[in-house]
């Protein structure tokens, strides 16, 4: 089967930095994606890694280690609007497998 | 259109009834996906189309579920003899043809089976 694991919930303070981890075991790998999903809304694309290393995109960065089956999403200078669920997804050939999501609560 | 459009946004039906959920993808996107999402869970893969054909329908839970995409654009997910366990948000997504093949999701259809 395909396993993608992320913490269920995290809490962080406005202005701080938070790291959301994702580990995966899949039969194939064509890329790792992070999506943001606000309550009651559809997921929206945040970042993509296919090679090992760090991809930086403004306040958000994502890291991948293929040998370890591990990725993280780093959110800097947290804002209240960053309160949302963050979904880790692995592209395996043409199918995307999603984790259950990490609900991030940003408090003042 | 500018984004992925799904209709209806909400559907309430009775157990045993038939429902159709519609998805209109982004123009030019040949790949189209249906996912199902329950509260507190990530999207669960149902079926993937490349053009008109169902390239992978391994996620459909049973033969009550069927999807079509006759002209390679709009897709319809059909559920027969609905059950209470079918209640969920049904998400449609199309993906960009060039890497990274990121998914663009519609707003979903909230299906409630009473």
């Amino acid at each position: 089967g395909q396993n993608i694991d992320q913490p269920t919930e995290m809490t962080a303070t406005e202005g701080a930095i938070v790291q959301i981890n994702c580990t995966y075991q899949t039969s194939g790998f064509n890329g790792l994606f992070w999506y943001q999903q606000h309550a009651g809304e559809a997921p929206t694309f945040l970042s993509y890694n296919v090679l090992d290393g760090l991809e930086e995109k403004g306040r958000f960065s994502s890291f991948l280690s293929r040998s370890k089956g591990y990725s993280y999403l780093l959110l800097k200078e947290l804002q209240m609007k960053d309160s949302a669920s963050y979904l880790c997804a692995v592209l395996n050939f043409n199918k995307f497998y999603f984790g259950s999501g990490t609900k991030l609560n940003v408090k003042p | 259109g500018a984004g992925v459009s799904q209709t209806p946004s909400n559907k309430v039906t009775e157990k045993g009834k038939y429902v159709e959920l519609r998805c209109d993808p982004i123009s030019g996107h040949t790949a189209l996906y249906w996912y199902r999402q329950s509260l507190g869970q990530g999207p669960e893969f149902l079926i993937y189309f490349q053009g008109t054909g169902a390239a992978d329908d391994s996620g459909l839970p049973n033969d009550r579920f069927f999807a079509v995409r006759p002209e390679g654009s709009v897709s319809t997910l059909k559920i027969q003899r609905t059950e209470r366990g079918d209640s969920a948000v049904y998400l449609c997504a199309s993906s960009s043809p060039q890497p990274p093949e990121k998914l663009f999701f519609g707003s979903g259809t909230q299906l409630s089976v009473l």
Side-chain angles (χ1 to χ4, degrees):
Chain A
Q2 321 292 326
N3 291 311
I4 301 174
D5 293 313
Q6 337 176 204
T8 304
E9 193 163 359
M10 299 179 72
T11 300
T13 304
E14 193 176 14
I17 299 174
V18 71
Q19 177 175 312
I20 302 174
N21 295 325
C22 171
T23 57
Y24 64 89
Q25 290 178 302
T26 55
S27 57
F29 181 86
N30 296 101
L32 189 136
F33 294 72
W34 285 94
Y35 286 83
Q36 181 189 59
Q37 187 174 27
H38 284 100
E41 298 182 11
T44 55
F45 171 80
L46 280 180
S47 70
Y48 161 76
N49 295 72
V50 66
L51 299 176
D52 289 354
L54 189 68
E55 292 285 339
E56 296 187 81
K57 203 174 173 182
R59 292 190 300 117
F60 294 1
S61 303
S62 56
F63 171 83
L64 175 67
S65 169
R66 288 171 297 169
S67 63
K68 295 181 179 176
Y70 168 68
S71 173
Y72 67 73
L73 180 69
L74 195 70
L75 292 79
K76 303 175 190 173
E77 300 167 18
L78 280 173
Q79 302 175 8
M80 297 301 293
K81 68 178 182 179
D82 297 330
S83 292
S85 285
Y86 291 85
L87 300 164
C88 173
V90 172
L91 177 60
N92 181 356
F93 191 49
N94 286 309
K95 257 152 78 166
F96 289 83
Y97 293 93
F98 285 84
S100 295
T102 299
K103 185 179 178 187
L104 176 65
N105 303 302
V106 180
K107 58 181 186 178
Chain B
V4 178
S5 174
Q6 289 189 248
T7 55
S9 54
N10 278 283
K11 178 70 179 178
V12 180
T13 191
E14 293 179 347
K15 181 174 176 296
K17 299 290 189 183
Y18 168 82
V19 296
E20 288 190 352
L21 312 179
R22 177 190 163 104
C23 173
D24 196 348
I26 293 173
S27 178
H29 283 189
T30 56
L32 183 147
Y33 298 78
W34 283 99
Y35 282 83
R36 178 169 70 175
Q37 187 173 28
S38 300
L39 198 61
Q41 299 297 314
E44 173 196 5
F45 171 80
L46 295 177
I47 187 169
Y48 155 66
F49 287 91
Q50 183 60 252
T52 60
D56 188 334
D57 64 357
S58 61
L60 294 177
N62 51 59
D63 60 7
R64 296 187 296 106
F65 288 74
F66 189 70
V68 295
R69 194 185 185 198
E71 296 176 359
S73 179
V74 171
S75 176
T76 304
L77 178 65
K78 308 180 181 194
I79 311 174
Q80 298 178 320
R81 305 183 303 280
T82 51
E83 299 178 357
R84 293 198 178 88
D86 298 335
S87 297
V89 175
Y90 288 80
L91 293 166
C92 175
S94 62
S95 81
S96 50
Q98 303 300 326
E101 299 90 335
K102 56 186 178 182
L103 294 175
F104 294 84
F105 285 90
S107 298
T109 294
Q110 171 72 63
L111 176 66
S112 301
V113 182
L114 304 180

